[in-house]
């Protein structure tokens, strides 16, 4: 089997899932959606919606976002990490 070297080629803009996990009592989808809007601007029709899954004291939100360039994801993820109740992102 041939080994992959380096990063894969990604063509921007690119649409990717963003999963945010946190404490259900603190983390709200509206908070994540607001940061997406601030950092990435308006998203594709239908991508304003998110999926949520709650298990015990934790909740996960999955949003689809369009990254306009390779440097757009890091500032968004850094801002999300500062939200109350944030535990991790995938």
């Amino acid at each position: 089997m041939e080994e992959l070297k380096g990063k894969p080629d990604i063509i921007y803009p690119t649409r990717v899932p963003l999963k945010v996990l946190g404490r259900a009592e603190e983390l709200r989808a509206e908070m994540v959606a607001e940061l997406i809007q601030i950092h990435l601007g308006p998203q594709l029709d239908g991508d304003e919606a998110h999926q949520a899954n709650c298990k015990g004291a934790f909740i996960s939100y999955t949003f689809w976002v369009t990254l306009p360039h390779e440097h757009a994801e890091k500032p968004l993820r850094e801002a999300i990490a500062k939200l109350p109740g944030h535990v991790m992102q995938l």
Side-chain angles (χ1 to χ4, degrees), residues 42-90:
Q43 296 297 292
L44 297 173
D45 288 343
D47 281 354
E48 298 87 17
H50 64 278
Q51 293 179 334
N53 188 10
C54 190
K55 189 119 180 170
F58 296 94
I59 192 161
S60 70
Y61 298 109
T62 303
F63 290 86
W64 280 89
V65 297
T66 300
L67 301 172
H69 52 77
E70 64 182 311
H71 304 292
E73 186 174 8
K74 185 177 179 182
L76 172 60
R77 288 190 177 273
E78 289 172 347
I80 291 171
K82 295 176 184 175
L83 290 174
H86 172 268
V87 173
M88 72 179 342
Q89 300 173 53
L90 304 172

